[in-house]
Amino acid sequence: QVQLVESGGGLVQPGGSLRLSCTASGFSLGYYAIGWFRQVPGKEREGVACISSSGANTYYVDFAKGRFTSSRDNAKNTVYLQMNSLKPEDTAVYYCAAEPDRTCTVVSGTFPYMTYWGRGTQVTVSS
């Protein structure tokens, strides 16, 4: 069964850090670019970052630049999103998704060709 599972979310104070993980089962992540997305209730899901299948290339949307870093360990079938200097407006459900391509396709600041999706992990930034 093809599955993506996010973990690592939780409650953190403003200025704090979290590292999200996205682990695949049923397929090898090494052939896929992986995107990170987030969604707040009542708003559209938005792209956060994308990492190529080898990890050599990454793309970040403006609010993530300088604060978020995506990396991957294909041997562990896992992709990571390190989030630093978190702000209350970063509160959202974060999702990972897989694009069946070695590079990220970016269209108007998001990643539209994802095939597999995880169920998300809640990140809450609050004092």
Side-chain angles (χ1 to χ4, degrees):
Q1 181 181 3
V2 172
Q3 197 172 13
L4 285 172
V5 178
E6 303 92 340
S7 61
L11 173 64
V12 63
Q13 292 187 343
S17 299
L18 282 175
R19 188 178 79 157
L20 306 184
S21 298
C22 171
T23 301
S25 60
F27 70 107
S28 175
L29 272 185
Y31 298 104
Y32 292 78
I34 300 299
W36 288 95
F37 300 78
R38 69 184 189 184
Q39 189 169 23
V40 175
K43 293 189 176 181
E44 288 191 2
R45 185 169 54 200
E46 60 181 350
V48 177
C50 190
I51 184 168
S52 63
S53 63
S54 69
N57 299 104
T58 51
Y59 178 92
Y60 301 95
V61 301
D62 285 347
F63 66 76
K65 290 178 182 177
R67 299 191 299 132
F68 294 2
T69 303
S70 187
S71 61
R72 64 193 298 158
D73 185 341
N74 287 339
K76 294 183 178 180
N77 231 20
T78 300
V79 176
Y80 305 98
L81 182 68
Q82 177 69 42
M83 304 188 296
N84 299 328
S85 302
L86 284 163
K87 305 174 182 180
E89 52 264 43
D90 293 319
T91 296
V93 178
Y94 283 72
Y95 301 86
C96 65
E99 175 180 354
D101 201 341
R102 296 187 182 275
T103 59
C104 299
T105 302
V106 183
V107 178
S108 300
T110 191
F111 322 109
Y113 298 138
M114 298 295 160
T115 301
Y116 303 127
W117 289 85
R119 293 188 174 186
T121 185
Q122 175 70 46
V123 171
T124 302
V125 184
S126 175
S127 56

